[in-house]
């Protein structure tokens, strides 16, 4: 439904308001005099169904439908109302009627595009409300008409010597009643035969004229006419088409000369042959047409005048007849030289040798009557005729009562001559099997009648077989396999198809087409059968294309045959190997066994065969790692220790087997996961015979020393816990150790002086079994150290506490007396000793640093401690605790 209000209506709202005021303030008669004609404009498309809403006149005029008496709407033009429109008298709504509106019928002279308008007047009643409303309905065009040519067949004549790109205007252009884009927009040919194309030109008036353009050299003798369809297409959506038969006739140019089909003929003639008897018929052929193909026959000047008089030569038909009586006594042989003359040509020459047979008595007369079409003794028969088709009747006359005549047939071919039923001296010539033009086009037959006296009469007969389209084209190969390398340039030649058709003329002409399953990237030349590919192929996208090629002849009906083409795209090394990930990260527990599989690097190459074979190699770190070339498994040659190196970064190269080889590189990160293979190492105190001096008046809650240990492992394997597992001296609970920091705090007041010893266990949190070390922490409770040898003796006796001198122990401590197993392997002990020696220097350095820090702190407290081992004149102040290693004496 289409409608549009006139733009001026929106501006008249104020005026309508004034009219409403006047409606209540003025008498009805005055209001009627004040009324003036209104105008409404609507737009609709042609061809709308009946009952389609166009517009509401009352609403568009802003009428108040509540007034009394109510409004009535009247359409005085009854003819228009009854034909195209219906008006609701109470609501003023306009609808289309059952009669469809056709713009071309309603406005036949509207070709200039001025617009088709349906105008009507509408009365608004009753009298007190009277208004005259001018309604204009613009009918918009739709694409409901096909282009149509003025004639059903358009014939154009083109000389065969026309130069390429010559243009010929097609005068019979198509017309379309629709307007604008719905009119004719272009022309094209259904089949251009590879010889023509069509161009379209527009004149100043906007009319389109198609032009036929010759794209290839023409030869009328090769093909005299081309019949196709010319299509006119309009610009609608969807477009509509109009068609006419387009016949292109190639007019002749005299570019050929006559030629005899037979340049030598032998004729046997009986001496008593009657005047007017047929001897022979010469046939010369000129492929041209009309006056260019006119041939006239004449005797050569070398033929004697009396011989010309005896044998009459028809200059038009080339038929030679006996014109006089033969004198067998004077001549038995005649040689006739005949010329075939054409306009502007050198005459063609043929020789007819006439042999005269002397006859004593007159021979029987054989009268032919032809059933098949005949022209001067030459019969024509279609190759589609069934076997035993009758060709001609032969009647033998002039036979004496006592004379017996036999008729038989000489010559080769599927023919037979026999008596016709029971009739005497009547013979029927018929075929014995279907004829085949492709095997034999012409037969020469002789009907020989022999009398009982030995007289012979011969009737020469020529049978011409007419060709029909009974053979389909035949491909040389039904399956054609083609190989082409990928990344080929566009329009690459693939192969050339060749199909032959044994039929003649246009019936044997073959064009090549692609089947419906052929991808659009392949193109075949219709005439030459050359198959090309228009784009570059990619084997990785598709390796094999298989589709049908059709060979179609030009006969009626058309026959065709099919061939299958298989195009195989050969691989080229145009793809580098590609790892499935940009880089790889493998997590491996330390101490992983040597040559164990750390991880697998997956790599692909889209190429095939050698181009897709990939070999992997390590660019760095090959002294530690190795990789399986084929499978891509990464392995370590030895067990790896995280404490020596926790991360390895390797560069792995993948190289394919192409020529030249392509490669890619990826980075592999090997992260060693920690294993709890290192027990805690106690750095302070440095030995089990070290001791700390603790003053007797030290208050409970005072931090007196600490145990400091480290673990080479990481994570929970390196988290250390401290605990006191044995003591000697003091009451239970006198000392406490912080499990996290190892800080030892005095919990009770020390009442006795002397040596106190604590066995501290340092344990990590490793899994599945934690590792630990033990250390003896000794306290000497006294104001001073006056006799160090005494303290040494006490420390020596404390060996009974069964402290293990080895640096670390593995396993859980059992209840009761401590028992530790010695490490059984001597080589490992040596290695551990060397390791401990290195750690010793580290511990000495750390201990010196810690002692210095604590020494400074104790000086601030002002405490004084004597050192009895080395007496010096100057006194040393202040340390609460001091590590005193005692050397063995």
């Amino acid at each position: 439904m289409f409608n549009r209000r006139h733009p001026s209506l929106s501006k008249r709202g104020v005026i309508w308001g004034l009219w409403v005021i006047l409606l209540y303030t003025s008498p009805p008669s005055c209001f009627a005099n004040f009324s003036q004609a209104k105008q409404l404009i609507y737009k609709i498309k042609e061809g709308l169904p009946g009952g389609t809403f166009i517009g509401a006149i009352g609403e568009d005029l802003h009428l108040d439908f509540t007034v009394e008496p109510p409004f009535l709407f009247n359409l005085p033009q009854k003819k228009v109302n009854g034909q195209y429109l219906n008006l609701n008298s109470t609501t003023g709504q306009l609808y289309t009627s059952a009669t469809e509106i056709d713009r071309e019928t309603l406005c036949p002279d509207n070709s200039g595009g001025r617009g088709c308008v349906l105008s009507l007047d509408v009365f608004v009643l009753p009298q007190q409300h009277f208004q005259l409303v001018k309604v204009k309905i613009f009918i918009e065009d739709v694409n409901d008409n096909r282009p149509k040519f003025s004639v059903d067949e358009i014939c154009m004549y083109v000389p065969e010597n026309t130069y390429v790109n010559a243009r010929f205007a097609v005068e019979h252009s198509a017309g379309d009643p629709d307007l604008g884009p719905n009119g004719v927009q272009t022309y094209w040919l259904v089949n251009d035969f590879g010889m023509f194309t069509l161009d379209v030109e527009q004149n100043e008036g906007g009319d389109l004229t198609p032009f036929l353009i010759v794209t290839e050299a023409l030869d009328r003798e090769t093909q005299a006419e081309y019949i196709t369809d010319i299509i006119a297409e309009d610009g609608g959506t969807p477009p509509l088409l109009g068609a006419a038969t387009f016949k292109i006739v190639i007019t002749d140019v005299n570019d050929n000369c006559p030629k005899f089909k037979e340049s030598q003929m032998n004729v046997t003639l009986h001496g008593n042959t009657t005047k007017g008897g047929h001897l022979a018929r010469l046939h010369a052929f000129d492929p041209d047409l009309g006056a260019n193909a006119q041939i006239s026959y004449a005797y050569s000047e070398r033929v004697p005048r009396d011989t010309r008089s005896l044998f009459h030569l028809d200059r038009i038909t080339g038929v030679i007849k006996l014109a006089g009586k033969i004198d067998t006594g004077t001549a038995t042989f005649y040689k006739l030289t005949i010329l075939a003359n054409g306009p502007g040509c050198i005459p063609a020459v043929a020789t007819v040798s006439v042999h005269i047979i002397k006859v004593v008595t007159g021979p029987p007369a054989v009268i032919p009557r032809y059933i098949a079409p005949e022209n001067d003794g030459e019969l024509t028969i279609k190759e589609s005729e069934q076997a035993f088709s009758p060709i001609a009747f032969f009647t033998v006359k002039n036979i004496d009562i006592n004379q017996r005549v036999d008729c038989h047939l000489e010559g080769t071919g599927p023919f037979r001559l026999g008596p016709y039923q029971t009739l005497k001296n009547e013979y029927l010539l018929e075929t014995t099997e279907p004829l085949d033009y492709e095997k034999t086009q012409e037969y020469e037959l002789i009907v020989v009648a022999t009398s009982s006296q030995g007289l012979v009469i011969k009737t020469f007969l020529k049978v011409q077989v007419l060709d029909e389209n009974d053979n389909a084209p035949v491909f040389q190969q039904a399956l054609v396999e083609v190989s082409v390398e990928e990344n080929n340039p566009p329009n690459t030649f693939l192969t050339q198809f060749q199909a032959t058709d044994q039929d003649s003329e246009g019936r044997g002409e073959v064009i090549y087409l692609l089947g419906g399953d052929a991808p659009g990237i392949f193109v075949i030349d219709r005439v030459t059968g050359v198959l090309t590919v228009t784009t570059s192929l990619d084997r990785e996208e598709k390796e094999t294309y298989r589709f049908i090629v059709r060979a179609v002849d030009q006969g009626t009906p058309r026959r065709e045959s099919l061939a299958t083409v298989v195009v195989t795209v050969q691989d080229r090394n145009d793809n580098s190997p590609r790892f499935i990930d940009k880089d790889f990260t493998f997590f491996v527990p330390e101490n992983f066994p040597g040559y164990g599989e750390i991880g697998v690097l997956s790599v692909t190459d889209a190429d095939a065969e050698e181009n897709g074979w990939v070999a992997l190699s390590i660019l760095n770190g090959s002294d530690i790692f190795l990789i399986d070339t084929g499978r891509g498994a990464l392995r370590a040659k030895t067990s790896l220790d995280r404490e020596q190196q926790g991360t390895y970064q390797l560069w792995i190269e993948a190289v394919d087997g192409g020529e030249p080889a392509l490669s890619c590189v990826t980075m592999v990160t090997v992260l060693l996961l920690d294993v709890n293979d290192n027990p805690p190492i106690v750095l302070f105190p440095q030995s089990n015979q070290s001791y700390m001096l603790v003053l007797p008046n030290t208050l409970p809650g005072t931090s007196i020393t600490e145990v400091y240990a480290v673990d080479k492992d990481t994570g929970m394997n390196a988290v250390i816990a401290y605990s006191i597992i044995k003591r000697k001296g003091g009451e239970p609970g006198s000392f406490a150790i912080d499990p996290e920091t190892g800080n030892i705090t005095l919990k009770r007041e020390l009442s006795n002086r002397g040596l106190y010893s604590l066995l501290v266990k340092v344990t990590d949190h490793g899994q599945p079994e934690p590792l630990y070390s033990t250390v003896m922490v000794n306290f000497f409770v006294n104001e001073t150290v006056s006799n160090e040898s005494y303290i040494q003796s006490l420390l020596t006796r404390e060996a009974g506490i069964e402290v293990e001198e080895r640096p670390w122990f593995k396993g859980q401590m059992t209840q009761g007396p401590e028992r530790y197993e010695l490490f059984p392997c001597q080589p490992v002990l040596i290695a551990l000793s060397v390791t401990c020696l290195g750690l010793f220097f580290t511990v000495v350095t750390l201990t010196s640093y810690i002692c210095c820090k604590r020494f400074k702190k104790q000086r601030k407290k002002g405490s004084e401690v004597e050192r009895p081992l080395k007496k010096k004149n100057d006194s040393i102040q202040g340390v609460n605790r001091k590590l005193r290693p005692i050397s063995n004496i």
Side-chain angles (χ1 to χ4, degrees):
M1 179 176 64
F2 298 86
N3 61 353
R4 184 179 297 175
R5 298 177 180 176
H6 195 278
S8 62
L9 292 178
S10 60
K11 299 179 181 179
R12 296 177 180 174
V14 178
I15 300 176
W16 274 107
L18 295 175
W19 285 356
V20 173
I21 296 173
L22 292 174
L23 178 65
Y24 292 95
T25 58
S26 302
S29 60
C30 296
F31 181 79
N33 294 332
F34 185 73
S35 300
Q36 60 181 354
K38 303 293 190 301
Q39 185 176 17
L40 295 177
I41 297 177
Y42 301 100
K43 284 187 179 182
I44 62 172
K45 291 186 179 294
E46 66 172 327
L48 295 177
T52 301
F53 177 77
I54 299 175
I57 296 176
E59 293 180 5
D60 294 339
L61 293 175
H62 305 287
L63 299 181
D64 185 7
F65 284 88
T66 61
V67 301
E68 292 293 334
F71 291 100
L72 293 176
F73 301 84
N74 185 24
L75 190 66
Q77 295 167 310
K78 299 296 184 181
K79 182 177 180 181
V80 175
N81 179 38
Q83 184 176 4
Y84 294 113
L85 304 172
N86 289 330
L87 176 65
N88 190 308
S89 60
T90 59
T91 64
Q93 293 179 339
L94 270 175
Y95 296 88
T96 59
S97 67
T99 303
E100 183 176 294
I101 298 177
D102 184 13
R103 188 196 63 81
E104 290 74 21
T105 303
L106 186 63
C107 304
D109 299 329
N110 192 240
S111 59
R114 295 183 301 274
C116 181
V117 181
L118 184 63
S119 300
L120 61 149
D121 294 338
V122 177
F123 293 162
V124 181
L125 302 174
Q127 179 64 30
Q128 53 269 41
H129 305 314
F130 176 79
Q131 291 188 52
L132 173 61
V133 181
K134 297 285 186 178
V135 178
K136 288 187 178 182
I137 302 175
F138 284 85
I139 311 301
E140 295 182 344
D141 183 47
V142 298
N143 191 28
D144 58 346
N145 291 279
R146 295 180 179 274
K148 186 175 181 181
F149 289 90
S150 58
V151 293
D152 293 332
E153 181 178 288
I154 301 173
C155 188
M156 290 196 67
Y157 295 91
V158 179
E160 66 175 326
N161 61 347
T162 299
Y163 60 89
V164 176
N165 294 327
R167 301 167 65 90
F168 298 85
V170 182
E171 298 297 335
H172 298 281
S173 58
D176 192 335
D178 295 324
L179 296 178
N182 295 330
V184 177
Q185 299 296 316
T186 187
Y187 294 84
W188 46 276
L189 296 176
V190 173
N191 185 358
D192 59 9
F193 303 99
M195 307 291 290
F196 308 94
T197 187
L198 208 60
D199 190 16
V200 180
E201 292 185 3
Q202 185 175 8
N203 60 18
E204 296 179 357
D207 296 326
L208 299 180
T209 301
F211 281 78
L212 181 70
I213 301 176
V214 179
T215 60
E216 297 292 337
L218 303 175
D219 186 5
R220 190 205 62 80
E221 288 72 30
T222 302
Q223 185 165 347
E225 64 181 19
Y226 299 83
I227 300 177
T228 183
D229 288 335
I230 183 171
I231 305 298
E233 180 178 333
D234 65 22
T237 304
L240 300 179
L241 308 178
T245 301
F246 192 52
K247 186 176 182 180
I248 305 170
V249 179
I250 310 303
T251 57
D252 185 57
V253 175
N254 189 25
D255 56 350
N256 293 279
C257 289
K259 292 183 180 179
F260 281 102
K261 286 189 174 180
E262 294 177 287
S263 59
Q264 297 286 338
M265 294 184 65
N266 292 312
V267 178
T268 302
L269 189 64
H270 292 88
N272 60 351
T273 301
T274 58
K275 182 179 178 180
H278 182 278
L279 271 72
R281 182 179 184 273
L282 296 171
H283 183 71
F285 175 72
D286 190 336
D288 294 327
L289 287 179
N292 297 327
Q294 289 182 356
I295 301 174
S296 61
Y297 300 89
Y299 282 117
S300 171
E301 294 296 330
R302 290 178 289 179
V303 179
R305 187 179 298 275
D306 55 348
T307 303
R308 298 184 199 178
S309 301
L310 182 61
F311 301 99
H312 176 264
L313 173 62
D314 191 307
R315 63 183 305 273
I316 302 300
T317 64
V319 174
I320 302 175
K321 295 182 179 180
L322 185 63
K325 186 176 181 181
I326 299 175
D327 185 3
T328 57
T330 58
T332 60
F333 175 79
Y334 294 92
K335 183 177 181 180
L336 308 178
T337 302
I338 293 91
L339 305 178
N341 298 297
C345 293
I346 299 175
V349 180
T351 302
V352 179
S353 299
V354 181
H355 299 271
I356 307 299
I357 300 176
K358 191 174 181 180
V359 181
V360 177
T361 61
V366 178
I367 308 301
R369 288 174 290 172
Y370 302 108
I371 300 173
E374 180 267 343
N375 184 17
D376 291 334
E378 183 174 312
L379 304 179
T380 56
I381 182 170
K382 296 180 180 179
E383 64 174 333
S384 60
E385 294 288 347
Q386 301 295 325
F388 306 108
S389 296
I391 299 176
F393 263 111
F394 294 92
T395 303
V396 181
K397 294 185 177 181
N398 299 330
I399 302 176
D400 295 337
I401 299 176
N402 298 325
Q403 195 175 18
R404 179 174 169 271
V405 177
D406 292 328
C407 283
H408 66 276
L409 189 66
E410 291 183 358
T412 59
F415 304 96
R416 71 178 182 181
L417 180 68
Y420 180 70
Q421 298 180 358
T422 59
L423 299 178
K424 186 178 181 180
N425 298 326
E426 297 285 348
Y427 296 89
L428 175 65
L429 178 63
E430 61 183 355
T431 61
T432 59
E433 60 185 57
L435 303 179
D436 190 351
Y437 174 86
E438 287 71 37
K439 292 182 179 178
T440 307
Q441 292 83 34
E442 190 176 77
Y443 297 90
E444 290 187 354
L445 306 177
I446 303 176
V447 178
V448 181
T450 306
S451 67
S452 56
Q453 287 80 18
L455 300 177
V456 177
I457 181 69
K458 295 184 178 182
T459 302
F460 295 90
L461 193 65
K462 183 179 291 187
V463 178
Q464 188 76 30
V465 182
L466 298 180
D467 185 34
E468 292 190 336
N469 193 31
D470 58 343
N471 291 279
V474 177
F475 280 101
Q476 289 185 352
Q477 291 179 274
L479 175 63
V480 178
E481 295 181 342
V482 182
S483 296
V484 59
E485 283 193 345
E486 64 176 332
N487 305 326
N488 58 287
N491 301 316
T492 297
F493 170 85
L494 297 179
T495 187
Q496 183 174 12
F497 288 89
Q498 291 185 347
T500 56
D501 193 317
Q502 296 181 356
D503 294 322
S504 62
E505 298 178 353
R507 294 174 289 272
E509 294 180 2
V510 180
I511 62 173
Y512 301 91
L513 304 172
L514 293 178
D517 59 341
I521 60 176
F522 295 97
V523 175
I524 192 169
D525 190 280
R526 295 166 56 92
V527 178
T528 64
V530 172
L531 180 66
T532 56
V533 58
T534 59
T535 62
S536 180
L537 300 178
D538 186 358
R539 187 204 65 84
E540 288 72 38
E541 179 179 342
K542 189 170 184 180
E543 185 173 2
T544 303
Y545 298 86
R546 186 184 185 97
F547 51 90
I548 299 298
V549 175
R550 302 165 52 209
V552 184
D553 64 22
Q554 301 301 297
T556 303
R558 294 189 175 186
R559 295 180 180 270
E560 67 175 62
S561 62
L562 305 178
T564 301
V565 58
V566 178
V567 180
T568 302
V569 184
Q570 295 179 339
D571 185 53
R572 296 182 65 181
N573 192 27
D574 57 344
N575 289 278
S576 300
R578 180 176 297 177
F579 290 94
I580 61 172
D581 293 321
K582 184 178 180 181
D583 49 46
F584 296 83
T585 301
F586 298 120
F587 296 90
V588 183
E590 63 175 329
N591 304 326
F592 191 70
Y595 295 96
E597 184 177 295
I598 296 175
V600 177
L601 281 72
S602 298
V603 61
T604 61
D605 193 313
D607 294 322
E609 298 179 352
E610 293 88 348
N611 296 331
W613 296 348
V614 180
L616 300 177
S617 61
I618 302 176
L619 299 181
N620 65 320
S622 59
D623 53 338
I624 302 176
F625 296 91
L626 56 85
I627 191 167
D628 295 346
T629 300
R631 185 166 172 265
L634 182 65
R635 306 175 189 273
K637 296 180 181 179
T638 60
S639 178
L640 303 177
D641 187 0
R642 188 202 63 80
E643 285 71 35
Q644 293 183 4
Q645 184 173 343
T647 303
Y648 296 88
Q649 287 188 338
L650 307 176
W651 291 99
I652 308 298
E653 182 182 33
V655 182
D656 63 21
E659 183 62 37
L662 300 178
S663 64
C664 69
V665 177
T666 188
M667 187 181 73
V668 177
T669 302
V670 179
L671 298 176
L672 297 183
L673 301 177
D674 185 51
V675 175
N676 192 26
D677 57 348
N678 292 279
I681 299 174
V682 179
L683 301 180
F684 186 85
Q686 296 181 359
S687 71
N688 291 328
Q689 293 188 349
S690 301
Y691 69 93
M692 297 291 297
L693 177 65
V694 180
L695 300 177
N697 59 354
T698 301
L699 298 177
T702 301
S703 175
I704 55 178
T705 188
E706 66 177 352
V707 178
Y708 180 71
V710 295
D711 196 313
K712 293 182 180 180
D713 295 322
T714 60
M716 295 303 295
N717 296 332
V719 177
I720 297 175
Y722 303 88
S723 62
I724 299 173
I725 61 175
K726 273 190 178 184
R727 67 175 177 81
K728 185 174 182 181
E731 297 179 0
S734 299
F735 300 94
I737 189 169
D738 190 309
E740 295 181 357
T741 64
N743 191 31
I744 298 175
T745 306
L746 181 65
K747 290 297 185 181
R748 294 183 180 181
E749 187 175 322
L750 301 175
S751 58
N752 299 323
R753 289 172 172 77
L755 186 65
Y756 293 80
S757 298
L758 301 177
L759 183 60
V760 177
K761 181 180 179 181
V762 184
T763 308
D764 62 23
H765 287 65
Q767 293 294 332
E769 184 177 3
L771 304 179
Y772 67 89
S773 300
T774 60
V775 66
M776 184 68 73
V777 181
N778 301 308
F779 303 105
F780 184 71
V781 180
N782 198 10
E783 286 78 2
T784 62
V785 180
S786 59
N787 190 353
E788 190 164 341
S789 60
Y790 170 72
I791 299 173
Q792 181 180 356
S793 63
L794 292 177
L795 291 173
T796 303
R797 288 198 298 269
E798 290 302 320
I801 206 169
E802 298 182 0
V803 178
E804 176 60 54
E805 294 292 343
R806 311 177 71 83
W808 59 276
F809 302 89
K810 186 174 182 180
Q812 298 285 348
M813 294 185 62
T814 59
Q815 296 293 332
E818 297 287 331
R819 294 184 180 180
Y820 305 95
E821 295 181 359
L822 294 176
F823 206 80
C825 300
Q826 184 176 0
V828 178
L829 287 175
I830 296 173
L832 289 175
S833 300
V834 174
T835 304
C836 291
L837 184 60
L839 292 174
F840 174 77
F841 291 105
T842 304
V843 171
V844 170
T845 303
L846 292 175
T847 303
S848 302
Y849 174 77
I850 294 171
C851 291
C852 290
K853 296 288 287 186
R854 292 182 178 176
F855 178 76
K856 292 179 181 180
K857 187 183 296 183
Q858 292 300 328
R859 289 183 61 184
K860 293 180 181 180
K861 295 181 179 180
S863 302
E864 295 182 356
V865 178
E866 294 182 4
R867 301 182 60 187
L869 294 180
K870 293 183 181 181
K871 296 181 180 180
K872 295 184 180 180
N873 294 328
D874 52 337
S875 60
I876 302 174
Q877 296 181 354
V879 279
N880 276 337
R881 49 188 176 169
K882 186 174 182 182
L883 183 64
R884 301 291 294 177
I886 301 175
S887 59
N888 294 324
I889 301 174

